Amino acid sequence: MKVISINAGSSSLKFQLFDMNDETVLASGLFERIGIEGSCYTIKYNDKKVKEEVEMKDHSDAVKILLDKLISLNIISSFEEIEAVGHRVVHGRDKYTESVLITDEVIEDIDTFKEFAPIHNPANLLGIKAFKEILPEVPMVAVFDTAFHQTIEEENFLYPVPYKWYTDYQVRKYGFHGTSHKFIAKTIEEKLGRKDLRIINCHLGQGASLAAIKDGKCVDTSMGFTPLTGVVMGTRSGDVDASIIPFIMEKEGKNVHEVIDDLNKKSGFLGISQHSSDSRDIEEGIAAGNRNCALAEEKFIRSVVNYIAQYYVLLGGCDVLTFTAGIGENSINSRLKIVSELASLGMKIDVEANNVRGEFRKISADDSKTEIYIVPTNEELMIARDTKTIVENNR
Ligand code: ADP
């Protein structure tokens, strides 16, 4: 069975085509600047790469070009080979607790929920509508970033604010990166051959979140109503006191949206370091003696450690600690510093084993009370797996 996994942005469309018989990637690529001058696409297949500038007015144009290219490059021989399309959708609110077959009702809901993800849900819909127009007979599945977190219980997802905000406006913690957290939990379950695990997963990329997972179900996560909260990120602040907002509005003569924008785009690593949002640049800055880079990293490590400690207690211990995403998979230094601060919980890293980037590996010392792993994430594959299962179950 061949499945395409789609991640549509407002002017982009990322795809991976899988042969789900053995989960191999037949092709992958990115369509950029859709609807903007200079639109182009890149397709990678069989160790080859095609890049071309071509006019794309909208996402439908991008999908048409993608499908034609898959045929002209001999990646597939006809459209019929594509048996299903899986779409990443950011927000499914509290209605979607798992991935679903896309129906008119699902499309309407994704549209309705745009007030919770005003940039992402409309963009995700552009991808869905383009495929619906061009491959109307092919079943499609929506895979929500929020779905995995729907097992979180009320005492963990509620904010201590007027209850009416929850009942009337659905203000609560939703959590994000759910597809990645689920993929990591499943991978660990498979590798260790057991499901009764207490896992703390650290998805540390430009955006970062942690999830506390027990018996395969999410118990709590660090992002909230939006992806702004939780740990210190590349440009997002993570948790801050909301009273800072009116204070800065007054000091800098800004409106509320401008201050929220500062918290989303000018904070985190970038805000403290005044140097960069990328942890590689921060590490270089530290090596060059930049104090603010050191502070930014210290603040990041502290925030991750605090969440791990909190989740350790919440789960009543931790069998497996996992690191994933750009920083989690690649930053030897961040993993080392985080685990070093967890010695009082009996966690110990194997410094030699940790000396690796981007591959699945156990990195805990033999006498560590918690097993620690690097697990490369693969959200596209998780989308394709869910899509395959749901389409097969609905035949
Ligand atoms: P997102 O998907 O949230 O945009 P990624 O998971 O791709 O982000 O992570 C990107 C981040 O990973 C970069 O900003 C950088 O900080 C970090 N990163 C990538 N490679 C390395 C590396 N070799 N060492 C340290 N950090 C790295």
Side-chain angles (χ1 to χ4, degrees), residues 89-98 100-118 120-122 124-125 128-129 142 144 146 170:
V89 179
V90 165
H91 222 297
R93 231 187 57 188
D94 48 356
K95 177 163 176 180
Y96 293 100
T97 58
E98 49 193 43
V100 287
L101 203 61
I102 297 179
T103 59
D104 289 345
E105 182 189 337
V106 174
I107 290 179
E108 229 169 83
D109 285 338
I110 296 171
D111 186 45
T112 307
F113 301 160
K114 65 176 179 265
E115 64 173 329
F116 294 87
H120 290 99
N121 270 27
N124 302 151
L125 264 186
I128 292 173
K129 288 183 174 164
F144 299 94
T146 47
Q170 292 81 45

Side-chain angles (χ1 to χ4, degrees), residues 14 177 203-208 234 236 269 277-283 324-334 357 377 379:
K14 252 194 251 172
H177 294 139
H203 177 111
L204 310 176
Q206 261 299 103
R236 294 188 200 124
F269 278 145
S277 63
D278 191 301
S279 84
R280 287 164 288 198
D281 299 336
I282 300 290
E283 288 180 13
T324 194
I327 299 173
E329 291 168 30
N330 297 301
S331 176
I332 295 166
N333 160 64
S334 298
R357 298 182 202 275
T377 195
E379 290 163 277

Side-chain angles (χ1 to χ4, degrees), residues 33-281:
R33 302 178 63 84
I34 299 169
I36 305 170
E37 210 177 296
S39 49
C40 65
Y41 70 82
T42 314
I43 297 178
K44 291 183 190 161
Y45 67 109
N46 278 345
D47 296 326
K48 288 182 221 144
K49 184 167 146 180
V50 187
K51 188 167 180 169
E52 199 182 355
E53 215 173 281
V54 52
E55 195 194 336
M56 292 180 261
K57 289 187 307 298
D58 52 27
H59 284 65
S60 298
D61 280 353
V63 173
K64 272 183 217 142
I65 294 168
L66 162 60
L67 295 172
D68 286 343
K69 279 284 147 191
L70 290 179
I71 289 183
S72 67
L73 296 170
N74 287 321
I75 297 164
I76 55 171
S77 49
S78 78
F79 293 165
E80 281 79 59
E81 279 183 45
I82 297 171
E83 289 187 61
V85 182
H87 292 270
R88 176 200 184 206
V89 179
V90 165
H91 222 297
R93 231 187 57 188
D94 48 356
K95 177 163 176 180
Y96 293 100
T97 58
E98 49 193 43
S99 305
V100 287
L101 203 61
I102 297 179
T103 59
D104 289 345
E105 182 189 337
V106 174
I107 290 179
E108 229 169 83
D109 285 338
I110 296 171
D111 186 45
T112 307
F113 301 160
K114 65 176 179 265
E115 64 173 329
F116 294 87
I119 296 169
H120 290 99
N121 270 27
N124 302 151
L125 264 186
L126 291 173
I128 292 173
K129 288 183 174 164
F131 272 92
K132 197 171 152 66
E133 180 192 328
I134 293 156
L135 295 178
E137 303 303 324
V138 177
M140 301 200 290
V141 168
V143 179
F144 299 94
D145 271 16
T146 47
F148 183 63
H149 303 303
Q150 283 300 312
T151 47
I152 298 177
E153 292 188 348
E154 204 171 24
E155 61 268 33
N156 288 335
F157 74 60
L158 262 192
Y159 289 114
V161 294
Y163 196 62
K164 179 174 183 280
W165 294 7
Y166 168 54
T167 52
D168 291 15
Y169 317 124
Q170 292 81 45
V171 169
R172 48 161 285 178
K173 176 184 282 192
Y174 288 102
F176 300 87
H177 294 139
T179 311
S180 173
H181 289 300
K182 180 173 164 184
F183 179 82
I184 304 302
K186 295 254 173 232
T187 305
I188 283 294
E189 281 173 11
E190 242 167 63
K191 296 271 184 192
L192 302 192
R194 44 188 283 226
K195 286 182 187 261
D196 58 331
L197 292 165
R198 294 161 299 181
I199 303 171
I200 300 175
N201 182 40
C202 308
H203 177 111
L204 310 176
Q206 261 299 103
S209 70
L210 276 77
I213 301 160
K214 193 171 192 172
D215 302 330
K217 294 196 171 72
C218 186
V219 180
D220 204 356
T221 191
S222 59
M223 281 180 170
F225 180 66
T226 73
L228 175 58
T229 51
V231 298
V232 172
M233 300 176 228
T235 62
R236 294 188 200 124
S237 61
D239 301 328
V240 292
D241 181 341
S243 307
I244 293 172
I245 297 168
F247 187 80
I248 295 300
M249 283 167 67
E250 213 154 280
K251 289 280 179 202
E252 299 203 341
K254 288 181 169 167
N255 66 35
V256 69
H257 301 291
E258 290 168 326
V259 179
I260 291 288
D261 219 47
D262 286 350
L263 292 173
N264 269 305
K265 298 186 184 147
K266 295 185 183 159
S267 301
F269 278 145
L270 179 63
I272 298 181
S273 72
Q274 302 172 286
H275 179 67
S276 172
S277 63
D278 191 301
S279 84
R280 287 164 288 198
D281 299 336

